[in-house]
Amino acid sequence: MVSKLLLGLLAGLGAAVAQCPDYVTHSTQIHEPLSQGKYQLSYQRPDPACRTFTLAEVKEAILDMEHAVKDPDLARLFENTYPNTLDTTVSWKGVASGSDEELTFITTGDIVAMWLRDSANQMRSYKTLLKANSSTDSLASLFRGAINLQSRYIFASPFCNAFQAPAESGLPPEHNNAADTDEVTPDYDPSFVFECKYELDSLSAFLQLSYDYYDKTGDSNFFGKYNWVNTVETILNVTKTLLIGTYADDGHVNELSYTFQRTTNSASETLLNVGAGSPIKGGTGLVRSAFRPSDDSTIYQLFIPANMMFSSYLGRCAEIMENQNSGLAKQMSDFSTSVRNGIEQQGKVRHEAFGEIYAYEVDGYGSRNMMDDANVPSLLSAPILDYLDANDTTYQNTRKFVLSAENPYYMRGTVINGVGSPHTHPGKAWPMSIIVALLSSDDDDEIMKGLRMLVSSTAQLGLIHESIDTFNASNWSRQWFSWANGLFGEMLLDLKDRKPYLLELSYQD
Ligand SMILES: *[C@@H]1O[C@H](CO)[C@@H](O)[C@H](O)[C@H]1NC(C)=O
Ligand SMILES: *[C@@H]1O[C@H](CO)[C@@H](O)[C@H](O)[C@H]1NC(C)=O
Ligand SMILES: *[C@@H]1O[C@H](CO)[C@@H](O)[C@H](O)[C@H]1NC(C)=O
Ligand SMILES: *[C@@H]1O[C@H](CO)[C@@H](O)[C@H](O)[C@H]1NC(C)=O
Ligand SMILES: *[C@@H]1O[C@H](CO)[C@@H](O)[C@H](O)[C@H]1NC(C)=O
């Protein structure tokens, strides 16, 4: 997420929307009516006429939550955040030219481009409401359109992470200033690609999105209709080139399938070794990743959380592939298993204080990066990636490490305590990490504390920010971050299911 780029709301939404406020600005202002609690949170939904998509089931979910939640500020936070993706980011929905193939272009919020990771997660926040439905006005159609568009993107440019609106939309491509100096192999077309950072979790996001749709609808025919099978084969082909070590046995440098360099004053925005990144040992079973889900470069390229996500959803999608191509399905489940074995053999470390825990990154030579970042996939999120159960012992040890001052990216203060990221300033915690902690927690005290921090730290704006100064809630980044908004809603829906009594409490102190 390139938080510095505030590129303005979509042009070309049509005359009816012309008077709609620019949400980049709207989301930095306080709007009445304020919620009736101590925090007096702003109302942040755009006018009904300005919302980019509406669904009856989301409207119902908001009404249900109003009844379930007693704290007026917490209820307002849900009301603002849960519909945020539908309200503000479904920038275009239609069909591919000359076809009945649905397409959904979902922007991240303040940046008018579709990130594979963000859009898969933005859709996931509505997964619990998803049912089979062939109507083009349905939630199922939004999912199908997102899968089809991601498939188009990945098939053409499998190393890239963020993309332009499809030609059919008539929306002009956005210029990405940050990418002006990028030198990337393989080359890409900037009218199609917004940014080309290779991140294993972006490819995994497509598999997650596919699985989420299949899991709730059972619609296996859909996956045979367009290019899904070829896209999955592309993912397999590409990730296999990323298993290879930097050096061949005889000392020659192996040919690299991807390199990236940018002219920048930020160490995490480019790759060392002339665009290759840190050397890795081959034969570990782990797939390399040049960048992290924060879009920052990895220090060691064998990035464990993305390998967890990849193994998890590659394995789950093998079941979908079974009906299409059993040979590919077998390759998928075998690959999923070998990545899992790589994680279990190479990705665990004995920590002096916490016992056996997962490392964030390794290189196969014995170096490990002991940290966690707020962005998902993270170590903290392993259970919500469906990689393991939350009561797994190594996970529980890892969790204690991640949520302690021993994690170099755990940020503490008087306003908020949570995991941050080298993507934002030192001293800034990300609400997203607290949300993930609550999604993976069974501890009522931890959950209540987390809700109190979340509801009290929005600077009255009533939206989930990217990061917050741990001592000053007014000092935050990214006013319009739809993924984080959706994730908050998803977490509250999950609590409504698992621990409804916690929603009857007050979070005012
Ligand atoms: C399918 O979705 C449409 C649009 O949201 C809705 O009106 C319709 O009731 C749904 N059909 C079923 C069977 O749920
Ligand atoms: C994947 O690789 C195989 C073997 O090289 C090749 O036959 C196939 O066409 C590739 N598939 C795609 C979709 O690129
Ligand atoms: C693990 O957690 C689940 C709930 O997530 C619980 O039902 C199960 O009993 C737990 N298993 C163990 C071994 O504690
Ligand atoms: C905002 O927070 C960052 C890091 O937390 C800090 O470096 C910066 O000085 C703060 N700005 C203000 C105006 O307080
Ligand atoms: C808190 O952050 C805001 C916004 O950056 C800044 O204007 C204000 O001075 C900061 N307050 C303190 C006490 O540092």
Side-chain angles (χ1 to χ4, degrees):
M1 285 132 289
V2 192
S3 49
K4 283 152 230 151
L5 286 183
L6 303 177
L7 293 174
L9 194 62
L10 269 186
L13 278 178
V17 192
Q19 297 101 316
C20 290
D22 181 340
Y23 202 74
V24 167
T25 315
H26 187 89
S27 52
T28 63
Q29 298 160 341
I30 311 283
H31 308 277
E32 306 220 315
L34 306 182
S35 62
Q36 299 293 302
K38 171 181 171 187
Y39 300 111
Q40 302 186 47
L41 302 185
S42 168
Y43 180 73
Q44 289 292 12
R45 297 194 70 185
D47 231 43
C50 296
R51 296 175 188 164
T52 57
F53 203 84
T54 50
L55 284 171
E57 49 272 54
V58 169
K59 197 173 165 186
E60 256 169 59
I62 295 170
L63 286 175
D64 286 353
M65 195 58 88
E66 251 166 46
H67 295 299
V69 175
K70 294 289 180 288
D71 185 292
D73 297 328
L74 189 62
R76 172 57 60 82
L77 198 49
F78 183 82
E79 179 185 12
N80 287 340
T81 56
Y82 190 57
N84 191 255
T85 283
L86 294 183
D87 281 355
T88 65
T89 69
V90 184
S91 297
W92 181 78
K93 186 173 181 304
V95 292
S97 47
S99 161
D100 64 351
E101 181 183 7
E102 293 153 296
L103 298 175
T104 315
F105 180 62
I106 301 163
T107 61
T108 60
D110 51 20
I111 305 167
V112 189
M114 179 154 156
W115 259 252
L116 296 173
R117 163 186 52 258
D118 287 53
S119 58
N121 286 308
Q122 283 166 276
M123 293 311 298
R124 176 171 260 203
S125 61
Y126 304 118
K127 180 177 177 182
T128 54
L129 309 178
L130 178 60
K131 288 204 270 309
N133 190 326
S134 58
S135 156
T136 55
D137 296 328
S138 64
L139 179 56
S141 172
L142 275 184
F143 268 83
R144 287 190 295 272
I147 295 169
N148 288 333
L149 188 53
Q150 287 205 356
S151 170
R152 176 191 286 188
Y153 291 149
I154 292 171
F155 187 69
S157 296
F159 291 100
C160 302
N161 60 317
F163 295 86
Q164 306 283 4
E168 291 89 339
S169 68
L171 297 170
E174 285 290 330
H175 182 79
N176 183 2
N177 294 320
D180 280 345
T181 62
D182 290 2
E183 287 175 37
V184 183
T185 53
D187 204 5
Y188 63 88
D189 172 4
S191 71
F192 183 78
V193 168
F194 182 80
E195 184 169 68
C196 198
K197 288 177 170 171
Y198 159 62
E199 299 163 1
L200 177 59
D201 83 281
S202 295
L203 298 174
S204 312
F206 173 71
L207 300 171
Q208 174 189 306
L209 178 66
S210 300
Y211 165 70
D212 284 347
Y213 176 74
Y214 175 74
D215 186 35
K216 297 296 282 188
T217 65
D219 178 6
S220 68
N221 280 344
F222 163 72
F223 293 94
K225 277 191 185 161
Y226 308 107
N227 207 33
W228 189 83
V229 172
N230 290 327
T231 298
V232 173
E233 194 179 27
T234 301
I235 291 174
L236 289 171
N237 286 1
V238 162
T239 45
K240 280 183 180 151
T241 69
L242 296 155
L243 288 167
I244 298 165
T246 303
Y247 297 101
D249 288 344
D250 67 0
H252 279 97
V253 180
N254 279 324
E255 199 182 326
L256 288 171
S257 52
Y258 174 84
T259 64
F260 178 102
Q261 283 184 287
R262 172 174 292 180
T263 304
T264 172
N265 61 5
S266 169
S268 55
E269 288 292 328
T270 190
L271 299 183
L272 41 67
N273 282 315
V274 204
S278 61
I280 61 152
K281 194 174 248 183
T284 60
L286 296 168
V287 182
R288 65 159 80 198
S289 191
F291 289 88
R292 298 173 180 169
S294 57
D295 299 334
D296 296 330
S297 54
T298 47
I299 289 176
Y300 302 123
Q301 292 205 334
L302 302 178
F303 174 48
I304 299 300
N307 275 276
M308 288 175 167
M309 184 181 182
F310 184 65
S311 171
S312 171
Y313 295 113
L314 189 65
R316 283 161 211 277
C317 284
E319 188 186 326
I320 307 176
M321 188 61 92
E322 200 55 58
N323 286 327
Q324 310 299 337
N325 180 327
S326 57
L328 278 183
K330 170 98 174 49
Q331 269 191 53
M332 291 164 77
S333 42
D334 290 350
F335 197 1
S336 164
T337 303
S338 65
V339 172
R340 177 177 285 273
N341 292 339
I343 295 166
E344 297 305 312
Q345 283 157 22
Q346 306 280 332
K348 287 178 169 174
V349 183
R350 184 151 293 281
H351 188 288
E352 275 184 27
F354 297 94
E356 183 180 78
I357 67 174
Y358 287 105
Y360 190 63
E361 296 168 346
V362 303
D363 65 356
Y365 290 105
S367 289
R368 293 115 173 202
N369 182 5
M370 305 303 294
M371 60 168 275
D372 202 21
D373 180 291
N375 281 271
V376 177
S378 56
L379 294 175
L380 188 62
S381 67
I384 65 175
L385 304 173
D386 299 315
Y387 178 76
L388 46 66
D389 193 279
N391 46 25
D392 177 280
T393 307
T394 308
Y395 173 72
Q396 279 302 324
N397 294 343
T398 308
R399 196 175 196 286
K400 290 189 189 102
F401 160 75
V402 168
L403 299 175
S404 80
E406 295 306 304
N407 170 10
Y409 284 95
Y410 190 70
M411 314 288 183
R412 292 162 297 149
T414 47
V415 167
I416 183 172
N417 295 302
V419 184
S421 171
H423 195 69
T424 44
H425 285 250
K428 282 208 152 79
W430 287 45
M432 176 177 281
S433 75
I434 296 170
I435 298 170
V436 169
L438 304 199
L439 275 165
S440 57
S441 175
D442 194 36
D443 175 348
D444 290 2
D445 284 340
E446 180 183 21
I447 295 171
M448 291 187 289
K449 252 195 201 152
L451 289 176
R452 234 175 261 129
M453 281 194 280
L454 290 168
V455 82
S456 63
S457 63
T458 77
Q460 220 193 331
L461 292 166
L463 290 168
I464 299 296
H465 293 131
E466 178 189 54
S467 74
I468 299 169
D469 180 338
T470 56
F471 292 96
N472 179 1
S474 300
N475 183 357
W476 45 261
S477 62
R478 266 193 110 173
Q479 63 270 54
W480 180 16
F481 183 18
S482 285
W483 170 19
N485 284 321
L487 194 64
F488 175 83
E490 186 182 331
M491 180 272 293
L492 219 59
L493 281 172
D494 175 59
L495 286 182
K496 183 166 168 285
D497 247 24
R498 285 197 297 140
K499 295 175 178 290
Y501 52 92
L502 292 182
L503 301 187
E504 291 172 16
L505 306 177
S506 161
Y507 294 96
Q508 303 278 310
D509 46 14

